[in-house]
Amino acid sequence: MSILSADKIKLNVSVKDKYEAIRIAGQLLVDAGHVSEPYLDAMIEREDSLSTYMGGGLAIPHGTKEAKSLITSTGLSVVVIPDGVEFSDGEKAYILVGIAAVGNEHMDILTNVAMIFSEDENVERIKNAGSAEEIIEIFESGMEE
């Protein structure tokens, strides 16, 4: 099973706040069988203790350390919010990458995601993607390096 697939990508999403956005990213992970339902609350709890906004229009919501037992397999979800959603102090996230990782895969995935998003061109391509397949292609090319 791929850690990112079309069923875990939502384009052109509109949300009222960051919590709704985080729940959408988390629900994609639940629906794909990577995590159990209580992981959504752990993602919200994590956000309340320390923002998962990374800068550059990117947020990477994930659960707390205590929620590790709720993860059954490693997976990513991607939510693209064209109008953005405020995360902290006027900073808007346009792309959310939800993460659930078993064992120690968490850091490798975060590193790969950071590499992909360190290139402005990739950020623009993801923000403007017309299909889930376009986003998968960008992630796959970034994860291979």
Side-chain angles (χ1 to χ4, degrees), residues 1-5 7-8 24-40 67-77 99-102:
M1 171 173 49
S2 170
I3 66 166
L4 182 63
S5 52
D7 60 332
K8 291 179 280 187
I24 291 169
Q27 191 62 51
L28 291 169
L29 295 171
V30 171
D31 293 346
H34 294 295
V35 298
S36 58
E37 195 82 32
Y39 190 77
L40 296 178
K68 276 286 206 193
S69 63
L70 303 171
I71 302 170
T72 51
S73 60
T74 297
L76 293 180
S77 64
I99 293 183
V102 292

Coordinates of all heavy atoms in Angstrom, one line a residue, residues 1-5 7-8 24-40 67-77 99-102:
M1 N 0.8 -1.2 0.0 CA 0.0 0.0 0.0 C 0.9 1.2 0.0 O 1.8 1.4 0.8 CB -0.9 0.0 1.2 CG -1.6 1.3 1.5 SD -2.9 1.2 2.8 CE -2.0 0.5 4.1
S2 N 0.6 2.2 -0.9 CA 1.3 3.4 -1.0 C 1.0 4.3 0.2 O -0.1 4.3 0.7 CB 1.0 4.1 -2.3 OG 1.5 5.4 -2.3
I3 N 2.0 5.1 0.6 CA 1.7 6.0 1.7 C 0.9 7.2 1.3 O 0.3 7.8 2.1 CB 3.0 6.4 2.5 CG1 3.9 7.3 1.7 CG2 3.7 5.3 3.1 CD1 5.0 8.0 2.5
L4 N 0.9 7.4 0.0 CA 0.0 8.5 -0.6 C -0.7 8.0 -1.8 O 0.0 7.5 -2.7 CB 0.9 9.7 -0.9 CG 0.0 10.9 -1.5 CD1 -1.0 11.4 -0.4 CD2 0.9 12.1 -1.9
S5 N -2.0 8.0 -1.8 CA -2.8 7.6 -3.0 C -3.9 8.6 -3.2 O -4.2 9.4 -2.3 CB -3.3 6.2 -2.7 OG -4.0 6.1 -1.5
D7 N -7.0 8.5 -3.1 CA -8.1 8.6 -2.1 C -7.8 9.3 -0.9 O -8.6 9.6 0.0 CB -8.6 7.1 -1.8 CG -7.6 6.3 -1.2 OD1 -6.4 6.5 -1.5 OD2 -7.9 5.4 -0.4
K8 N -6.5 9.7 -0.7 CA -6.1 10.5 0.5 C -5.7 11.9 0.1 O -5.0 12.6 0.8 CB -4.9 9.8 1.1 CG -5.3 8.4 1.8 CD -4.1 7.7 2.4 CE -3.4 7.0 1.3 NZ -2.3 6.2 1.8
I24 N -10.2 17.1 8.4 CA -10.4 16.5 7.0 C -9.1 15.7 6.7 O -9.2 14.6 6.2 CB -10.6 17.7 6.0 CG1 -12.0 18.3 6.2 CG2 -10.4 17.1 4.6 CD1 -12.2 19.6 5.4
A25 N -7.9 16.3 7.0 CA -6.7 15.6 6.7 C -6.6 14.3 7.5 O -6.2 13.2 7.0 CB -5.5 16.5 7.1
G26 N -7.1 14.3 8.8 CA -7.1 13.1 9.6 C -8.1 12.1 9.2 O -7.8 10.9 9.2
Q27 N -9.3 12.6 8.7 CA -10.3 11.6 8.3 C -9.9 10.8 7.1 O -10.2 9.7 6.9 CB -11.6 12.4 8.0 CG -12.8 11.5 7.9 CD -13.1 10.6 9.1 OE1 -13.3 11.2 10.2 NE2 -13.3 9.3 8.9
L28 N -9.1 11.5 6.2 CA -8.6 10.7 5.0 C -7.7 9.6 5.5 O -7.7 8.5 4.9 CB -7.8 11.7 4.1 CG -8.6 12.8 3.4 CD1 -7.7 13.8 2.8 CD2 -9.5 12.1 2.4
L29 N -6.9 9.8 6.6 CA -6.0 8.7 7.1 C -6.9 7.7 7.8 O -6.6 6.5 7.7 CB -5.0 9.3 8.1 CG -4.0 10.3 7.5 CD1 -3.2 11.0 8.7 CD2 -3.1 9.6 6.6
V30 N -8.0 8.0 8.5 CA -8.9 7.1 9.1 C -9.5 6.2 8.0 O -9.5 5.0 8.1 CB -10.0 7.8 9.9 CG1 -11.0 6.8 10.4 CG2 -9.4 8.5 11.1
D31 N -10.1 6.9 7.0 CA -10.8 6.2 5.9 C -9.9 5.2 5.2 O -10.4 4.2 4.7 CB -11.4 7.2 4.9 CG -12.5 8.0 5.6 OD1 -13.0 7.6 6.7 OD2 -12.9 9.0 5.0
A32 N -8.6 5.5 5.1 CA -7.7 4.7 4.4 C -7.1 3.5 5.3 O -6.4 2.7 4.8 CB -6.5 5.5 3.8
G33 N -7.5 3.6 6.5 CA -7.1 2.5 7.5 C -5.8 2.7 8.1 O -5.2 1.7 8.7
H34 N -5.2 3.9 8.0 CA -3.8 4.1 8.6 C -3.9 4.3 10.1 O -3.0 4.0 10.8 CB -3.1 5.3 8.0 CG -2.8 5.1 6.5 ND1 -1.9 4.1 6.1 CD2 -3.2 5.7 5.4 CE1 -1.7 4.2 4.8 NE2 -2.5 5.1 4.3
V35 N -5.0 4.9 10.5 CA -5.2 5.3 12.0 C -6.7 5.0 12.4 O -7.5 4.9 11.5 CB -4.9 6.8 12.2 CG1 -3.5 7.1 11.9 CG2 -5.9 7.7 11.5
S36 N -6.9 4.8 13.7 CA -8.2 4.7 14.2 C -8.8 6.1 14.5 O -8.0 7.1 14.6 CB -8.2 3.8 15.4 OG -7.4 4.3 16.4
E37 N -10.1 6.2 14.6 CA -10.8 7.4 14.8 C -10.3 8.3 15.9 O -10.2 9.6 15.7 CB -12.3 7.1 15.0 CG -13.2 8.3 14.9 CD -13.6 8.5 13.4 OE1 -13.7 7.6 12.6 OE2 -13.9 9.7 13.1
P38 N -9.9 7.8 17.1 CA -9.4 8.7 18.1 C -8.1 9.5 17.7 O -7.8 10.5 18.4 CB -9.1 7.7 19.3 CG -9.9 6.6 19.0 CD -10.0 6.4 17.5
Y39 N -7.4 9.1 16.7 CA -6.2 9.8 16.2 C -6.6 11.2 15.8 O -5.8 12.1 16.0 CB -5.6 9.1 15.0 CG -4.2 9.6 14.7 CD1 -3.1 9.3 15.4 CD2 -4.0 10.4 13.5 CE1 -1.8 9.7 15.1 CE2 -2.8 10.8 13.2 CZ -1.7 10.5 14.0 OH -0.4 11.0 13.6
L40 N -7.8 11.5 15.4 CA -8.2 12.8 15.0 C -8.2 13.8 16.2 O -7.7 14.9 16.1 CB -9.7 12.8 14.5 CG -9.9 12.0 13.2 CD1 -11.4 12.1 12.8 CD2 -9.1 12.6 12.0
A67 N -0.4 9.1 21.0 CA -1.3 8.5 20.0 C -0.7 7.5 19.1 O -1.4 7.0 18.2 CB -2.0 9.6 19.2
K68 N 0.6 7.2 19.3 CA 1.3 6.3 18.4 C 0.6 4.9 18.3 O 0.6 4.3 17.2 CB 2.7 6.0 18.9 CG 3.7 7.1 18.5 CD 4.1 6.9 17.1 CE 5.5 7.4 16.7 NZ 5.6 7.5 15.3
S69 N 0.0 4.5 19.4 CA -0.7 3.2 19.4 C -1.9 3.2 18.5 O -2.5 2.1 18.2 CB -1.1 2.8 20.8 OG -2.0 3.8 21.3
L70 N -2.4 4.3 18.1 CA -3.6 4.4 17.2 C -3.3 4.3 15.7 O -4.2 4.3 14.9 CB -4.3 5.8 17.5 CG -4.7 6.0 18.9 CD1 -5.2 7.5 19.1 CD2 -5.8 5.0 19.4
I71 N -2.0 4.3 15.4 CA -1.5 4.2 14.0 C -1.3 2.7 13.7 O -0.6 2.0 14.3 CB -0.2 5.0 13.8 CG1 -0.4 6.4 14.2 CG2 0.3 4.9 12.4 CD1 0.9 7.2 14.3
T72 N -2.0 2.3 12.6 CA -1.8 0.9 12.1 C -0.8 0.8 11.0 O -0.2 -0.3 10.8 CB -3.2 0.3 11.7 OG1 -3.8 1.2 10.8 CG2 -4.1 0.1 12.9
S73 N -0.7 1.8 10.2 CA 0.3 1.8 9.1 C 0.6 3.2 8.7 O -0.1 4.2 9.0 CB -0.3 1.1 7.8 OG -1.5 1.7 7.4
T74 N 1.8 3.4 8.0 CA 2.2 4.7 7.7 C 1.5 5.3 6.5 O 1.3 4.5 5.5 CB 3.8 4.6 7.4 OG1 4.4 4.2 8.6 CG2 4.3 6.0 6.9
G75 N 1.1 6.5 6.6 CA 0.3 7.1 5.5 C 0.4 8.6 5.5 O 0.7 9.2 6.6
L76 N 0.1 9.2 4.4 CA 0.1 10.7 4.2 C -1.3 11.0 3.6 O -1.8 10.3 2.8 CB 1.1 11.2 3.2 CG 2.6 11.1 3.6 CD1 3.4 11.7 2.4 CD2 2.9 11.9 4.9
S77 N -1.8 12.2 4.0 CA -3.0 12.8 3.3 C -2.6 14.2 2.9 O -1.7 14.8 3.5 CB -4.2 12.8 4.2 OG -4.0 13.6 5.3
I99 N 0.1 13.4 8.6 CA 1.0 12.3 8.7 C 0.6 11.3 9.8 O 0.3 11.8 10.9 CB 2.5 12.8 9.0 CG1 3.0 13.6 7.8 CG2 3.4 11.7 9.3 CD1 4.4 14.1 8.0
A100 N 0.7 10.1 9.5 CA 0.7 9.0 10.5 C 1.8 8.1 10.2 O 1.9 7.6 9.0 CB -0.7 8.3 10.4
A101 N 2.7 7.8 11.1 CA 3.9 7.0 10.8 C 4.1 6.0 11.9 O 4.1 6.4 13.1 CB 5.1 7.9 10.6
V102 N 4.4 4.8 11.6 CA 4.7 3.7 12.5 C 6.2 3.7 12.8 O 7.0 4.2 12.0 CB 4.2 2.3 12.1 CG1 2.7 2.2 12.0 CG2 4.8 2.0 10.7

